[in-house]
């Protein structure tokens, strides 16, 4: 048997006074909000319902159904869900309870616990071939995204995604270019904020094939193989094998140079070549030598 009170004009049906076997059925709660509190819990709050003696909270991972009770007997209009997993979207409803009866569901409210940001990111240049990256694992992360920029404050572009371990290598980096990296943890649709920034620069290859050719008593011509990524070259000279060397030319745009600077005929000169960019220089080439004299 169900009975209800109505307004004086009998036109409106008041659910607050709906009764089942003389037990008042409370109205559905309103104003439910779900708020992620860091990575630890989801806080829930709703409006009080007249006639309710307690409340029940139900949760699902889809707004369309599959709601399971996670709390009951609540006598206040707030609670927290500390059993939520990070990175998983959760959907909540609340029911008001009065004795053995309960209300319809409240509005649905959703929240997702944020993933912690990865920490300890380190970038290490491995010769001129790749940059190795390592970071600490993040609880709840199912994968990681790696992003790269050529400026610490620039636009970061994804270079790897779906990484399921806490290390990877960037083999697309160009030698001599400073790169800056961040990593983000991912779980489904959730993504953390960026990790600390780590930077590395691949070394330039060492110039090879340096030759020194006597052209006259006042000139020695030098040539070498070009180096990928180099924007300029410098030449150093000594009068003894192994140095000490002095820079005689820098900012060279091509892999050759003619040395006619204060050469003494009959003296053997020793040369090294270095490749460079604005950020990094290679180690010196193998030594080459020649004696300025008129060719016979």
């Amino acid at each position: 048997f169900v009975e209800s009170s109505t307004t004086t004009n009998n036109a409106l049906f008041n659910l607050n006074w709906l009764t089942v076997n003389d037990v008042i059925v409370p109205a559905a709660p309103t104003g439910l909000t779900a708020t992620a509190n860091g990575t630890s819990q989801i806080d829930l709050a709703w409006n009080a319902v007249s006639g309710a003696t307690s409340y029940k909270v139900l949760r699902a991972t889809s707004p369309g159904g599959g709601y399971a009770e996670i709390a009951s007997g609540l006598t206040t209009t707030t609670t927290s869900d500390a059993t939520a997993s990070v990175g998983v979207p959760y959907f909540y409803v609340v029911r008001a309870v009065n004795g053995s009866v309960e209300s319809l569901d409240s509005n649905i409210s959703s929240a997702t616990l944020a993933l912690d940001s990865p920490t300890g990111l380190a970038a290490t240049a491995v010769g001129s071939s790749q940059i190795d990256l390592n970071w600490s694992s993040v609880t709840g992360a199912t994968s990681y995204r790696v992003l790269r920029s050529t400026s610490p404050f620039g636009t970061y572009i994804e270079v790897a995604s779906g990484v399921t371990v806490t290390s990877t290598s960037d083999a697309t980096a160009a030698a001599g270019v400073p790169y800056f990296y961040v990593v983000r943890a991912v779980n489904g649709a959730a993504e953390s904020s960026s990790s600390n920034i780590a930077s590395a620069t691949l070394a330039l290859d060492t110039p090879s094939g340096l030759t020194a050719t006597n052209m006259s008593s006042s000139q020695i011509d030098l040539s070498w193989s070009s180096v990928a990524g180099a924007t300029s070259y410098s030449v150093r000279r000594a009068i003894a094998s192994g140095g000490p060397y002095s820079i005689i030319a820098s900012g060279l745009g091509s892999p050759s140079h003619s040395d006619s600077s204060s050469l003494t005929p009959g003296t053997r000169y020793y040369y090294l070549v270095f490749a460079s960019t604005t950020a990094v220089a290679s180690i010196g080439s193998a030594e080459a030598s020649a004696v300025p004299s008129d060719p016979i």
Side-chain angles (χ1 to χ4, degrees):
F1 174 74
V2 178
E3 63 179 353
S4 67
S5 66
T6 63
T7 60
T8 55
N9 60 10
N10 295 318
L12 298 177
F13 186 65
N14 185 353
L15 288 178
N16 281 315
W17 293 99
L18 179 66
T19 63
V20 175
N21 296 329
D22 296 325
V23 178
I24 296 176
V25 179
T30 60
L32 174 63
T33 59
T35 306
N37 188 345
T39 61
S40 60
Q41 64 186 37
I42 294 176
D43 294 337
L44 303 164
W46 57 92
N47 297 325
V49 174
S50 176
T53 57
S54 66
Y55 300 93
K56 177 184 294 187
V57 178
L58 299 93
R59 184 183 75 183
T61 55
S62 167
Y67 285 87
E69 180 184 304
I70 61 169
S72 62
L74 301 172
T75 56
T76 61
T77 57
T78 60
T79 191
S80 295
D81 179 10
T83 66
S85 298
V86 294
V88 178
Y90 288 104
F91 300 85
Y92 297 88
V93 295
V94 175
R95 295 174 186 168
V97 179
N98 184 3
S100 61
V101 297
E102 59 187 53
S103 72
L104 299 177
D105 291 343
S106 69
N107 61 293
I108 298 172
S109 187
S110 178
T112 304
L113 288 180
L115 290 165
D116 283 330
S117 300
T119 58
L121 176 63
T124 305
V126 180
S128 60
S129 61
Q130 66 185 41
I131 294 175
D132 288 348
L133 302 162
N134 295 273
W135 59 91
S136 299
S137 62
V138 173
T139 300
T142 56
S143 65
Y144 300 91
R145 290 178 66 217
V146 179
L147 300 93
R148 184 183 77 185
S149 177
T150 54
S151 165
F153 308 109
T155 301
Y156 284 81
I157 305 299
E158 180 183 293
V159 294
S161 63
V163 179
T164 58
V165 293
T166 57
S167 63
T168 190
S169 295
D170 180 11
T172 67
V177 178
Y179 288 104
F180 300 86
Y181 296 88
V182 295
V183 175
R184 296 174 186 168
V186 178
N187 185 326
E191 182 172 297
S192 74
S193 56
S194 296
S195 67
N196 60 294
I197 298 172
S199 179
T201 305
L202 288 179
L204 291 169
D205 285 332
T206 302
S208 61
L210 175 62
T211 60
T213 304
N214 167 46
M215 301 301 295
S216 70
S217 60
S218 59
Q219 180 176 318
I220 294 174
D221 283 355
L222 304 166
S223 64
W224 57 91
S225 298
S226 61
V227 173
T231 56
S232 66
Y233 302 93
S234 62
V235 178
R236 301 185 187 187
R237 187 181 72 186
I239 56 174
S241 178
Y245 294 91
S246 298
I247 296 175
I248 61 168
S250 61
L252 301 174
S254 60
S256 62
H257 177 67
S258 293
D259 179 19
S260 57
S261 174
S262 303
L263 295 177
T264 301
T267 299
R268 180 169 292 277
Y269 292 92
Y270 299 85
Y271 297 90
L272 297 179
V273 174
F274 294 79
S276 63
T277 68
T278 56
V280 66
S282 73
I283 62 174
S285 65
E287 191 178 65
S289 69
V291 178
S293 62
D294 289 326
I296 298 176

